[in-house]
Amino acid sequence: MSGQSEVLRLHGPLTIKTIANVRDIIQVYLQEAALRSRSLVIDIDGSEEIDLTLPQLLLSARQTASGAGVTVALNKPADGNFLTVLQRAGLLCGDRQKDSFWLEGKAA
């Protein structure tokens, strides 16, 4: 990676009703990041309406990105509704290394 990043800001409801559109947007950004040898940084507003489909999509996007040589990171640690969804879904295990994607943001 060149040290530069593509930045994707996700806002508005991030729920099952909108996740197909979010998936399409992430796919475009991943393709751009791969073409430009950049990482992808995703900025999520934790105050938005969020459900489990968002973390599921992000896990899938990370897997896809890894295969294309692209690193995906969050712009900041999960907070607000996003953090609540992660906790309720059991996606935080208390292991700093495993939770770093969600809780450390871009600095991880």
Side-chain angles (χ1 to χ4, degrees):
M1 293 289 129
S2 67
Q4 295 182 338
S5 301
E6 297 289 325
V7 178
L8 171 57
R9 289 177 176 82
L10 297 178
H11 54 84
L14 301 167
T15 65
I16 195 163
K17 293 178 184 178
T18 62
I19 208 68
N21 291 334
V22 175
R23 178 203 61 219
D24 294 345
I25 292 166
I26 289 175
Q27 285 177 336
V28 169
Y29 272 78
L30 283 176
Q31 290 169 352
E32 280 297 311
L35 286 172
R36 296 178 181 194
S37 297
R38 294 180 173 180
S39 60
L40 175 61
V41 176
I42 301 176
D43 184 5
I44 298 168
D45 183 351
S47 67
E48 298 289 351
E49 182 182 357
I50 295 173
D51 69 16
L52 184 56
T53 58
L54 179 64
Q56 289 172 326
L57 177 62
L58 293 176
L59 290 170
S60 177
R62 285 183 70 203
Q63 189 73 18
T64 299
S66 177
V70 175
T71 301
V72 174
L74 298 180
N75 189 48
K76 62 182 189 233
D79 62 357
N81 292 333
F82 187 32
L83 181 58
T84 299
V85 167
L86 293 172
Q87 291 168 331
R88 288 183 179 167
L91 291 171
L92 301 176
C93 64
D95 179 311
R96 182 183 168 111
Q97 185 176 3
K98 291 179 182 178
D99 293 344
S100 66
F101 175 73
W102 307 114
L103 299 180
E104 293 183 20
K106 195 163 123 179

